[in-house]
Each structure stands twice: as structure tokens, then as C-alpha cells.
């Protein structure tokens, strides 16, 4: 075994020697792997020249400063100083009473910090080692007291191997992760020679460590103290002396005698209770309250759903026209209305008389100014104004015709047909306008179809009312049926209650009978009569219930099945 | 007592001397440690007997070495602070050296690289303003500290810029900050909420991984070659103390909304703070980098 270890020490970074010898001794396999690859990991990743410096080094020391368990103790080797800490190396060339070159300050700071980090890690590793040794000693004492039959020793080597491998997955300066486990397992193997019994307790702790180490070790090559390892950090916190995650992870299980298995209690299966609770409102016996509810619902359906449609009143255009005339009139109320309707009739007549149809009317009113449609007293001015506008605007046929039509309309409105001469332009204006608009696509021919008689609104109302009435009909039928069923059910429930009461009484008699028999007393005649009466009553009620069931076969089908368990 | 140039230089020289001495001492200690460790390893492989005392001795040596290194580093920081004081004094005295863009960016990078590294002792957790650990609620940034400040630009746009604290106005609870890009010559007075102090120390991934922002965290990071912070997502953590984060900046010109990973030093990656504009970003989206 010692020969193997010597091989390890002399092995190069490839770990060839160590690797081959690893197959031999089972117990050293673990740290064979870990030490050699740990050695590669120990030097920083930019150390490609490491091999050269190693061979060039005159020191006969081991390549890798690691414990047998594969824990790398972070130390910056002297031979690495020129490479890792160049500025400090040059500073070291100068005597110690000289001052540092000011321009080196930043580089020196960074290198010093590097050294500090190294020292801090070294402290942690050494402390972990120390503590593990301590615990092992304590364990040794405790184990000597009570021997526990241990599992075969070879398992520890497997764990070592696993831990060692787990340790190598996280590289970097100092990797106490696997090393921590390796440390304890190394001390484990040492103890193994003395006492195989101590192994078993460590197994349980090792497996936990392995899980923890595996979890964080298999993290994707992150710094082992990266936040992913936080969950192990927190668990380490109550060891105030140890901060580094996995190194102390190895120590932790030693503190606890055995990991506490979480008490898994099968939670009470509550679901069926919840289910029955949820459907309870639907299965409760009916009451008069419910009946009243149904009656209320029925109320809604009694009257007609939709108020009757009133007859069609006067069209809004006539109403508005009347109102407008009233507004324009200066005089009193009744006179106004009479005048208004009279004037409107006259206007209607004039409209029919004049050549201008509805289209021209619209065109004209759009083109004419609002002020022109005012009191009849201003007719003359209106007429003149329109005449002047006629002459001034002679652009296109439309305006021409419209202005002439405007003149014509104004003339008509004033009741003065003196501009009859203009009418010759207005002949056929309506048709011309219609043709013009149709050609331009501004009006559809369908619009000219007579659609006065079709009252669309009324049709819509009738249709909707029909729909509603059919639905409400259906609803009221259902509600009536429901009501009937509910009242039946209530009667049935009453009978059931009576039945229950009778049953109870019978039971009591039976109990009394038993007591009498127990006391060897004969039962009295009253008792017998009582029993007979009760049983008769029970039979009656049951029959009644049966009959009721038969009366309502449709609803009774389900309720019958409900009753069966009762009976 | 204002530092004159000569006294500052003198102090720096003294410290440089100290550092040199420390370096030598550290080297000796390191050699000693190396030897003892190798003998320790030998004993571990061979016998069990002398392991414990050797371990103890190694531990002792390690702690000594650590102390020396820390002392040397402390001296270095003193030198830096002296230099910083001189710079602030010079600026207050009024000589504004115009720093070219390239030089400014180099300075920004350098200050990030030479930010002191926090290496925790055994059992020590990273303090506030180390890496991703946020500042305490009542923390007040010191004069000369670098911060990220939500400042209004010319066109009323708010951006998180890299700025330096000039002073803290206690009564108003506001910071007086100045853009480190002195071309802007902008001095902003901002409430405490709009100022995030940058970390004062780097976190060491090897010893204090918990002080780093986890992968896929939303952060604000300084866009390389600029002095503005933008919303980004952490893509890769630094593996060593000198490495940078790799972050993905929000960029609407990319398909998935995020650009290629860019390196940003630890110092310039801070926790994301949503602004009123809220949903999208800490300060404007990068549509064209």
C-alpha cells in the first residue's frame, strides 16, 4: 500500500502512475483519482507552463500538496510565484528597505488579494481537516464504548471514489468539496484499519454528504461557493467556525449522530368528506320555504311579458314641423297650433304643386342659406337675394338649376309665383337631378322603391315577443311541474318523519322487552298492546309512502331509490 | 487639515516603503507555510501521530500570513485614499482637468479593478456594500464615494448615471452629486432615494459566493464605455476575484429583447431599482447600442 502511495506522489499531472496503481488497492483508488486530477486542478487554469516549471524545479517535494484524501491545500508554491505574482516577484528582487514602485501599486494590490484569498482558503481547509480529526478522535472514544456491527469495509472505498470524483468536478484553487469528503474518508480509511465498526456511522453521514456534494459538485463547473451552493451554505451557518460550503459539509455529518428522517405522516384523506359536504345543499329535505320560492318564480310568468305595442302615432317629421311652426309664430297657444297645422297643410299642398320633388328640395335647402327660410315678411328680400345669386353663380348645371330651383322654391314659399318665368328651367329638374345622382352612383335605385308601409320596428318587436313568449311558456310549465313535485315531496317527507317517530318508539319498546327478558319479568298487556299499535301504525305509514311512490313514477324513480336505504 | 502635494507625496512614499517590507515578510511567511504544509502532507500520508500539532502550526502560520497580507493591503488602501483626497481637494480648489473620454473610461475600469477585495475570515459573512450585499437603510455615502444617481438629462429624461458624492445635505436628506464625466459639468441635488451607493468592496467568488448576484437576476449595470446604468440580466458570474460579471442588457433591437453578454465589473452591477416609469427599465431602453 505504501508503494502505491509513493507512486502517487511521483505521478505526473496526467496521473498515469497513480491511475494505474489505483486499480490495485481498492482503498486507494479514490484518492488516486482525486489526487492526480486534483493536482491538475490545483494549479490555475492558465498554468500551461506549469509542467515546464515542475520539471525545471529543483525541489524534490511532491508535485501536489494534498492530503491522502485528495484535499488540495491551497498554497502558492515558490516556483509558481514568478508566474502567478509577477509584480510581487519583481518587487522581491529589490531590497526590503527600498520602496515599492508606485506604478506597480495596482498590480501588487491584485496579487496581494490573490494571496489573501489563497491564505483564506488554506485556513478553511486546514481548519476542516483539523476539526475532522478532532471529531474522529471523539468518535473513536465513543465507538470504543459501544461497538456497532459495521458493514464491510469495501463500501467506504466506493464512497471514497465517489467523493473523490465528486471533488474533481469543481476545479479551481483548492477544491475542498470532494476533498472535504475525501478528508473524512481518508481519516475513515485510517480508522478502518483500527476499527471497522466506526465505518457504519460514517456511511450514513457519507451518503448524505455525497448527496449534498453531488448536488453542488455536479453544478456546472461553477465556483464552488457560487450562490448555487447557497443551500449548503445556510446549513453550515450554525457551525460558526466553518464557512466554506462543502468542506464543512464533510464535517457536519460527524456532528449529528444520525440524520433525522423526516416524519412522513400520511395526511388524512379528507376528500370524501368534502365531497359529501358540497352536495349536501342539494340533498336536503324540502321545506315550505322552497315551495314559496317556486311560487314566487311562477308569479313572474303570470302577466303578459311584453307590454302591448301602442298604435303608430303621427310621424316625427310632421310633429317636428308643427313644433317648428309654433316656434316661429309670434302669437298665442291655441291659435298657434291651429295656424301651424293650417300652414303645414298649405305647405304640403304647395310642395305637391311645385315641380320640385323631394330630391331637389333637399338639394335646395342644403344650398340655400338658413336665414332665407325665415319669416314671410322677408320674402321680398329673399326673392331679390335669390335672384342675384342666380345671376352670379352660373358655374354648372347643378348650381344653375339649383339656384333657379332655389329661386323657384323661394318664390313658391313666398306664395308668389311671379318668377314663373324661371320655372322653365325648373321643368324636369327633379328627373334630371335623379338621373344625375344615379349616374354618379350616389343613390341606389332601390331607394326609390316605396317603403313607407313597412314598419320594420313593429316587425322586430313582434318577432322578439314571439321568441320570449315561447321561452316563458316553457319556463312556466317547468316551474308548475316543479311545484307539484315539491309539494308531493313535502307530504312524503312528513310521512317519513312520522315513520321515524314510530320507529323510535318501537325501538324503545324492544329495548324494554329485552330488559324484561333479562330480568325475567313477563311483559304486561299494555306493553303488548303498545307494541301492536306501534307496529300497525308503522305498517300503515309505510304503505302510504309506497302508494305515494307509485303515484309519481317519474319523479319517484329517483326518490324511491333514496328511500330504500331508509326502509 | 488639507493635504499639500508634498505631504501627500511623502505619506505615499512612506507607505510604499511599508508595503515593500510587507511583501518581503509575506514571501518569507509563504515559504515557511509551504514547507510546513509539505511536511504536513508527508505526515498525513505516513503516520497519524504528529498530524494535529502540524496542522495547528500550519494554521498559525496561515493566520500570520493573512495578517501580513491584510496589513499590506491596508497600506495600499491608505495610499489610494490619500490620492483620492488630493484629487478632491484639487477639484474643489477649482482646477478642472479636462479628462478625455478614453482616459475617463480607463479610469472607470481601473477603479473597478482595484476596488478592494473582501476576503472573509473564517466564519465571517460579507458586510454591507460588498458585492451584491445592499447598504443598510441608514447608510450615508461618504464624500468622494461613487454612486448611481437618477438624474434628469437635458431633455427631461431620467437616467441612472455614474456620479460622485460631493456632500450630503443632512437637513434636506439629499445628496449633492456630480457626474464623473466632467464634460457635463452637471451638479445634481437628489433625494436619498434617487442615489444608490456603489459597492465599496468586491466579493471573492471563492470564499463568499453568497455576496454575488445569482444568475438571471435583474440588475442595473454600467454599459461598457459609457457612464450610465441600464437594466440588465446577470448571465454569468465571475469565477475569480478579478473576473467580471457577464450581463445581458435590455435591447429592443434584439429578438428576445436582450443583447449579447457584455462584461461589467463587479463594482458597476447593482440591484435593480424600478423608477416611476416603471414597467420597462431603470433608465430608458437601449434600442441602438
Amino acid at each position: 500500500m505504501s508503494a502505491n502511495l509513493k507512486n502517487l506522489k511521483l505521478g505526473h499531472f496526467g496521473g498515469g502512475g497513480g491511475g494505474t496503481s489505483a486499480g490495485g488497492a481498492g482503498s486507494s483508488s479514490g484518492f488516486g483519482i482525486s489526487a492526480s486530477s486534483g493536482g491538475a486542478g490545483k494549479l490555475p487554469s492558465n498554468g500551461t507552463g506549469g509542467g515546464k516549471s515542475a520539471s525545471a524545479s529543483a525541489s524534490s517535494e511532491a508535485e501536489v500538496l494534498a492530503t491522502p484524501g485528495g484535499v488540495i491545500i491551497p498554497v502558492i508554491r515558490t516556483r509558481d510565484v514568478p508566474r502567478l505574482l509577477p509584480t510581487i516577484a519583481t518587487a522581491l528582487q529589490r531590497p526590503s528597505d527600498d520602496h515599492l514602485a508606485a506604478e506597480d501599486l495596482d498590480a501588487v494590490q491584485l496579487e496581494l488579494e490573490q494571496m489573501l484569498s489563497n491564505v483564506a482558503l488554506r485556513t478553511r481547509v486546514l481548519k476542516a481537516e483539523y476539526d475532522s480529526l478532532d471529531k474522529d478522535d471523539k468518535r473513536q472514544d465513543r465507538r470504543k464504548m459501544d461497538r456497532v456491527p459495521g458493514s464491510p469495509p469495501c463500501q467506504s472505498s466506493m464512497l471514497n471514489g465517489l467523493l473523490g470524483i465528486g471533488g474533481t468536478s469543481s476545479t479551481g484553487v483548492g477544491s475542498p468539496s470532494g476533498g472535504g469528503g475525501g478528508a473524512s474518508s481518508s481519516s475513515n480509511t485510517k480508522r478502518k484499519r483500527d476499527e471497522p465498526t466506526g465505518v457504519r456511522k460514517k456511511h450514513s453521514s457519507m451518503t448524505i454528504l455525497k448527496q449534498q456534494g453531488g448536488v453542488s459538485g455536479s453544478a456546472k463547473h461553477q465556483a464552488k461557493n457560487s450562490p448555487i451552493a447557497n443551500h449548503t451554505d445556510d446549513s453550515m451557518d450554525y457551525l460558526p467556525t466553518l464557512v466554506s460550503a462543502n468542506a464543512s459539509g464533510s464535517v457536519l455529518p460527524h456532528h449529528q449522530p444520525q440524520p433525522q428522517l423526516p416524519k412522513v405522516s400520511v395526511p388524512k384523506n379528507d376528500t370524501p368528506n368534502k365531497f359529501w359536504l358540497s352536495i349536501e345543499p342539494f340533498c336536503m329535505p324540502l321545506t315550505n320555504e322552497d315551495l314559496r320560492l317556486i311560487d314566487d318564480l311562477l308569479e313572474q310568468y303570470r302577466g303578459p311579458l311584453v307590454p302591448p305595442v301602442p298604435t303608430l302615432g303621427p310621424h316625427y317629421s310632421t310633429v317636428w314641423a308643427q313644433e317648428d311652426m309654433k316656434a316661429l309664430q309670434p302669437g298665442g297657444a291655441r291659435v298657434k297650433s291651429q295656424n301651424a297645422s293650417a300652414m303645414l297643410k298649405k305647405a304640403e299642398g304647395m310642395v305637391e304643386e311645385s315641380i320640385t320633388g323631394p330630391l331637389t328640395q333637399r338639394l335646395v335647402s342644403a344650398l340655400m342659406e338658413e336665414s332665407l327660410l325665415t319669416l314671410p315678411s322677408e320674402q321680398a328680400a329673399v326673392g331679390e337675394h335669390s335672384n342675384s345669386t342666380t345671376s352670379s353663380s352660373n358655374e354648372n348645371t347643378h348650381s344653375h338649376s339649383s339656384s333657379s330651383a332655389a329661386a323657384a322654391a323661394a318664390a313658391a314659399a313666398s306664395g308668389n309665383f311671379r318668377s314663373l318665368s324661371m320655372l322653365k328651367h325648373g321643368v324636369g329638374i327633379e328627373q334630371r337631378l335623379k338621373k344625375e345622382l344615379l349616374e354618379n352612383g350616389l343613390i341606389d335605385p332601390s331607394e326609390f322603391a316605396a317603403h313607407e308601409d313597412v314598419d320594420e320596428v313593429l316587425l322586430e318587436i313582434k318577432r322578439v315577443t314571439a321568441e320570449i313568449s315561447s321561452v316563458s311558456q316553457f319556463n312556466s310549465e317547468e316551474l308548475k311541474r316543479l311545484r307539484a313535485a315539491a309539494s308531493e315531496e313535502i307530504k312524503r317527507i312528513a310521512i317519513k318523519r312520522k315513520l321515524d317517530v314510530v320507529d323510535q318508539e318501537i325501538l324503545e319498546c324492544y329495548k324494554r322487552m329485552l330488559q324484561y327478558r333479562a330480568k325475567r319479568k313477563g311483559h304486561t298487556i299494555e306493553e303488548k298492546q303498545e307494541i301492536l299499535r306501534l307496529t300497525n301504525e308503522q305498517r300503515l305509514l309505510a304503505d302510504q309512502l309506497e302508494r305515494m311512490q307509485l303515484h309519481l313514477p317519474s319523479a319517484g324513480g329517483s326518490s324511491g331509490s333514496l328511500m330504500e336505504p331508509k326502509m | 487639515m488639507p493635504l499639500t502635494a508634498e505631504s501627500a507625496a511623502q505619506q505615499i512614499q512612506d507607505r510604499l516603503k511599508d508595503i515593500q517590507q510587507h511583501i518581503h515578510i509575506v514571501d518569507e511567511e509563504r515559504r515557511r507555510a509551504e514547507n510546513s504544509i509539505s511536511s504536513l502532507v508527508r505526515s498525513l500520508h505516513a503516520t497519524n501521530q504528529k498530524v494535529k500539532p502540524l496542522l495547528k502550526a500550519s494554521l498559525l502560520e496561515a493566520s500570520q500570513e493573512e495578517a501580513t497580507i491584510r496589513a499590506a493591503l491596508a497600506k495600499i488602501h491608505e495610499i489610494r485614499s490619500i490620492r483620492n483626497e488630493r484629487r478632491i481637494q484639487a477639484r474643489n480648489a477649482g482646477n478642472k482637468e479636462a479628462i478625455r473620454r478614453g482616459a475617463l473610461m480607463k479610469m472607470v475600469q481601473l477603479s473597478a479593478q482595484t476596488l478592494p477585495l473582501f476576503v472573509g475570515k473564517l466564519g465571517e459573512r460579507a458586510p454591507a456594500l460588498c458585492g451584491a450585499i445592499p447598504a443598510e437603510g441608514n447608510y450615508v455615502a461618504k464624500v468622494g464615494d461613487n454612486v448611481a444617481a437618477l438624474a434628469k438629462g437635458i431633455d427631461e429624461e431620467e437616467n441612472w448615471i455614474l456620479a460622485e458624492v460631493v456632500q450630503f445635505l443632512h437637513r434636506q436628506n439629499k445628496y449633492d452629486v456630480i457626474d464623473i464625466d466632467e464634460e457635463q459639468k452637471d451638479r445634481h441635488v437628489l433625494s436619498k432615494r434617487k442615489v444608490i451607493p456603489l459597492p465599496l468592496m468586491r466579493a471573492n467568488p471563492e470564499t463568499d459566493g453568497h455576496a454575488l448576484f445569482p444568475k438571471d437576476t435583474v440588475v442595473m449595470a454600467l454599459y461598457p464605455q459609457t457612464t450610465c446604468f441600464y437594466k440588465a440580466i446577470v448571465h454569468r458570474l465571475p469565477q475569480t476575484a478579478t473576473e467580471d460579471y457577464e450581463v445581458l442588457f435590455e435591447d429592443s433591437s434584439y429578438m428576445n429583447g436582450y443583447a449579447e453578454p457584455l462584461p461589467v465589473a463587479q463594482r458597476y452591477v447593482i440591484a435593480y431599482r424600478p423608477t416611476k416609469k416603471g414597467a420597462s427599465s431603470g433608465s430608458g431602453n437601449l434600442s441602438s447600442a
Side-chain angles (χ1 to χ4, degrees):
Chain A
M1 181 114 33
S2 53
N4 285 337
L5 291 171
K6 273 204 199 120
N7 280 344
L8 281 177
K9 281 194 187 173
L10 296 173
H12 271 276
F13 303 125
T20 50
S21 66
S27 58
S28 58
S29 63
F31 39 90
I33 299 166
S34 54
S36 48
S37 44
K42 178 202 175 264
L43 292 174
S45 46
N46 58 1
T48 48
K52 299 192 208 104
S53 58
S55 48
S57 134
S59 87
S60 58
E61 294 171 13
E63 303 291 341
V64 173
L65 286 179
T67 67
V71 191
I72 314 299
I73 304 185
V75 171
I76 302 183
R77 312 301 301 273
T78 314
R79 58 168 186 261
D80 298 330
V81 164
R83 187 170 44 85
L84 293 175
L85 312 169
T87 327
I88 288 192
T90 46
L92 285 171
Q93 310 292 345
R94 307 198 356 236
S96 76
D97 49 359
D98 197 0
H99 57 259
L100 184 66
E103 55 271 12
D104 287 342
L105 198 64
D106 296 336
V108 163
Q109 182 192 339
L110 291 175
E111 287 166 13
L112 279 174
E113 283 169 354
Q114 200 177 343
M115 290 179 76
L116 183 59
S117 170
N118 183 280
V119 168
L121 287 169
R122 195 189 325 152
T123 316
R124 284 165 171 73
V125 167
L126 290 173
K127 193 87 176 44
E129 280 286 325
Y130 186 78
D131 286 342
S132 76
L133 282 181
D134 248 353
K135 296 314 152 204
D136 285 348
D137 286 344
K138 286 203 190 129
R139 252 170 202 276
Q140 222 175 348
D141 299 336
R142 252 192 294 144
R143 286 287 143 254
K144 279 194 176 123
M145 299 308 160
D146 42 48
R147 294 216 149 214
V148 181
S151 34
C154 66
Q155 282 187 18
S156 68
S157 64
M158 275 194 331
L159 278 167
N160 279 349
L162 286 164
L163 286 166
I165 291 169
T168 56
S169 69
S170 55
T171 58
V173 180
S175 48
S177 58
S184 46
S185 60
S186 70
S187 44
N188 187 7
T189 51
K190 271 180 282 173
R191 295 284 167 277
K192 176 171 67 71
R193 297 181 219 126
D194 301 333
E195 315 179 349
T197 57
V199 164
R200 182 165 168 275
K201 283 288 169 154
K202 295 205 183 67
H203 279 328
S204 48
S205 40
M206 278 316 129
T207 38
I208 295 171
L209 168 68
K210 176 169 68 87
Q211 285 162 9
Q212 283 181 348
V215 165
S216 40
S218 61
K220 314 167 201 94
H221 292 277
Q222 281 176 351
K224 57 188 179 337
N225 271 328
S226 70
I228 301 265
N230 264 347
H231 64 281
T232 52
D233 254 344
D234 286 336
S235 61
M236 301 314 143
D237 273 352
Y238 71 83
L239 283 177
T241 53
L242 293 169
V243 174
S244 78
N246 297 321
S248 42
S250 65
V251 183
L252 174 61
H254 293 288
H255 287 277
Q256 290 173 349
Q258 207 153 26
Q260 297 270 346
L261 281 173
K263 280 209 193 101
V264 179
S265 61
V266 177
K268 225 172 47 139
N269 193 3
D270 215 21
T271 331
N273 295 349
K274 281 194 213 147
F275 170 68
W276 290 118
L277 224 72
S278 67
I279 65 170
E280 206 179 297
F282 300 100
C283 302
M284 284 205 301
L286 283 176
T287 59
N288 287 329
E289 286 280 336
D290 302 319
L291 214 55
R292 250 178 280 151
L293 189 67
I294 299 178
D295 285 335
D296 288 337
L297 287 171
L298 265 177
E299 275 292 318
Q300 287 180 15
Y301 290 94
R302 268 207 289 161
L305 289 165
V306 177
V309 179
T311 53
L312 213 49
H315 199 248
Y316 61 84
S317 54
T318 47
V319 174
W320 289 355
Q322 281 183 341
E323 285 176 8
D324 283 342
M325 290 303 285
K326 274 189 218 158
L328 292 174
Q329 293 284 7
R334 187 124 56 92
V335 176
K336 238 198 289 186
S337 64
Q338 280 185 358
N339 264 351
S341 43
M343 284 187 83
L344 281 172
K345 285 214 187 78
K346 214 165 112 187
E348 290 283 314
M350 283 196 310
V351 161
E352 276 158 25
E353 274 179 32
S354 72
I355 324 165
T356 58
L359 284 176
T360 35
Q361 292 279 347
R362 273 155 66 175
L363 189 57
V364 162
S365 61
L367 291 170
M368 275 176 67
E369 290 173 29
E370 176 66 31
S371 56
L372 294 177
L373 302 168
T374 49
L375 302 175
S377 52
E378 295 184 15
Q379 289 158 20
V382 164
E384 278 163 23
H385 184 80
S386 60
N387 277 335
S388 56
T389 52
T390 308
S391 50
S392 58
S393 56
N394 276 339
E395 302 306 313
N396 51 18
T397 43
H398 268 269
S399 56
H400 184 68
S401 58
S402 65
S403 49
S404 59
S414 66
N416 188 358
F417 289 98
R418 70 183 150 93
S419 48
L420 209 61
S421 56
M422 296 279 193
L423 281 176
K424 66 176 184 290
H425 293 286
V427 170
I429 179 171
E430 180 65 21
Q431 280 84 5
R432 261 189 285 151
L433 198 53
K434 207 191 272 190
K435 204 175 77 169
E436 213 56 48
L437 287 170
L438 277 174
E439 275 171 26
N440 283 338
L442 293 170
I443 297 189
D444 278 336
S446 58
E447 283 192 19
F448 293 111
H451 51 264
E452 302 297 328
D453 304 339
V454 177
D455 188 359
E456 290 163 349
V457 178
L458 186 64
L459 282 179
E460 187 65 22
I461 291 179
K462 283 200 185 127
R463 188 180 65 82
V464 173
T465 321
E467 279 182 27
I468 293 179
S469 58
S470 62
V471 172
S472 72
Q473 186 93 354
F474 178 72
N475 281 357
S476 56
E477 290 293 310
E478 287 297 309
L479 275 174
K480 283 190 193 119
R481 271 205 312 142
L482 198 59
R483 195 187 184 292
S487 49
E488 279 297 319
E489 184 65 26
I490 287 180
K491 285 189 207 134
R492 214 179 299 127
I493 286 173
I495 293 180
K496 272 195 235 170
R497 289 220 185 94
K498 281 193 214 140
L499 200 56
D500 277 338
V501 170
V502 171
D503 284 340
Q504 293 290 10
E505 287 177 13
I506 289 179
L507 279 171
E508 299 217 345
C509 289
Y510 182 67
K511 277 188 210 143
R512 262 181 272 146
M513 282 298 136
L514 285 179
Q515 281 176 350
Y516 287 156
R517 228 173 276 162
K519 294 183 201 163
R520 304 258 179 233
K521 266 167 73 173
H523 16 274
T524 58
I525 302 194
E526 287 88 9
E527 295 279 328
K528 283 197 187 138
Q529 281 179 346
E530 177 86 22
I531 292 166
L532 283 170
R533 183 180 63 83
L534 284 173
T535 45
N536 274 338
E537 203 167 323
Q538 191 193 36
R539 208 176 305 129
L540 271 170
L541 285 170
D543 287 339
Q544 205 175 1
L545 214 46
E546 278 275 351
R547 265 179 279 130
M548 287 194 79
Q549 255 187 298
L550 291 170
H551 276 266
L552 283 167
S554 57
S558 49
S559 49
S561 55
L562 275 174
M563 284 195 292
E564 249 126 46
K566 261 216 152 278
M567 314 238 306
Chain B
M1 177 94 80
L3 278 171
T4 62
E6 300 83 25
S7 72
Q10 182 58 38
Q11 287 183 14
I12 291 177
Q13 284 295 87
D14 291 337
R15 283 169 177 79
L16 285 172
K17 271 212 186 133
D18 290 337
I19 295 173
Q20 180 76 354
Q21 279 179 345
H22 281 302
I23 289 179
H24 279 270
I25 298 174
V26 162
D27 191 60
E28 281 174 29
E29 286 175 349
R30 193 191 47 73
R31 285 171 199 274
R32 227 183 317 145
E34 199 182 341
N35 287 336
S36 72
I37 297 263
S38 44
S39 61
L40 171 71
V41 167
R42 250 175 280 139
S43 80
L44 273 176
H45 283 292
T47 64
N48 312 350
Q49 296 317 316
K50 286 205 295 186
V51 172
K52 268 203 172 168
L54 281 177
L55 268 176
K56 266 204 160 155
S58 297
L59 271 170
L60 198 59
E61 282 167 7
S63 60
Q64 278 177 346
E65 197 180 333
E66 187 179 333
T68 322
I69 299 179
R70 283 192 197 270
L73 281 170
K75 293 271 178 242
I76 295 183
H77 301 151
E78 281 172 25
I79 293 179
R80 285 200 198 283
S81 62
I82 292 172
R83 283 187 180 162
N84 206 21
E85 270 184 51
R86 283 289 307 142
R87 184 180 59 84
I88 294 178
Q89 276 182 1
R91 187 183 61 206
N92 290 346
N95 35 339
K96 292 220 194 287
E97 343 111 48
I99 306 182
R100 277 190 351 267
R101 190 104 185 134
L104 179 70
M105 289 304 144
K106 272 216 187 110
M107 239 175 53
V108 162
Q109 270 306 100
L110 196 63
S111 76
Q113 276 170 6
T114 54
L115 196 67
L117 183 74
F118 173 74
V119 178
K121 297 205 185 83
L122 220 48
E124 209 184 343
R125 273 193 100 84
L129 283 185
C130 165
I133 314 282
E136 280 147 29
N138 52 358
Y139 176 77
V140 172
K142 319 259 179 322
V143 176
D145 279 355
N146 278 19
V147 296
L150 185 65
K152 268 202 168 63
I154 316 157
D155 41 358
E156 289 305 303
E157 215 183 65
E158 282 193 327
N159 274 318
W160 287 97
I161 59 168
L162 182 58
E164 189 182 322
V165 171
V166 175
Q167 58 169 319
F168 178 64
L169 309 164
H170 277 279
R171 281 200 214 101
Q172 304 170 41
N173 209 36
K174 288 191 177 173
Y175 282 100
D176 193 1
V177 299
I178 182 166
D179 196 335
I180 59 160
D181 188 358
E182 274 157 25
E183 270 181 10
Q184 307 284 341
K185 297 198 193 307
D186 269 346
R187 205 161 152 139
H188 305 272
V189 176
L190 299 167
S191 85
K192 200 153 174 256
R193 284 177 297 113
K194 293 190 174 180
V195 168
I196 305 177
L198 294 181
L200 298 169
M201 286 189 277
R202 284 177 287 147
N204 186 3
E206 287 157 4
T207 56
D208 301 297
H210 61 271
L212 294 171
F213 286 103
K215 185 172 183 312
D216 294 337
T217 318
V218 178
V219 294
M220 285 206 294
L222 191 77
Y223 200 83
Q225 305 304 315
T226 70
T227 56
C228 277
F229 288 85
Y230 296 98
K231 185 178 174 193
I233 290 190
V234 173
H235 178 67
R236 195 170 159 278
L237 289 141
Q239 306 296 314
T240 68
T242 46
E243 266 187 31
D244 292 340
Y245 280 98
E246 271 184 27
V247 301
L248 307 167
F249 283 94
E250 225 182 31
D251 192 340
S252 48
S253 65
Y254 278 77
M255 266 246 284
N256 62 346
Y258 291 99
E260 301 295 306
L262 287 170
V264 180
Q266 274 198 39
R267 184 177 204 208
Y268 300 121
V269 175
I270 52 177
Y272 177 65
R273 187 174 302 184
T275 53
K276 282 196 294 264
K277 263 186 263 176
S280 58
S281 58
S283 72
N285 267 333
L286 294 168
S287 51
S288 58

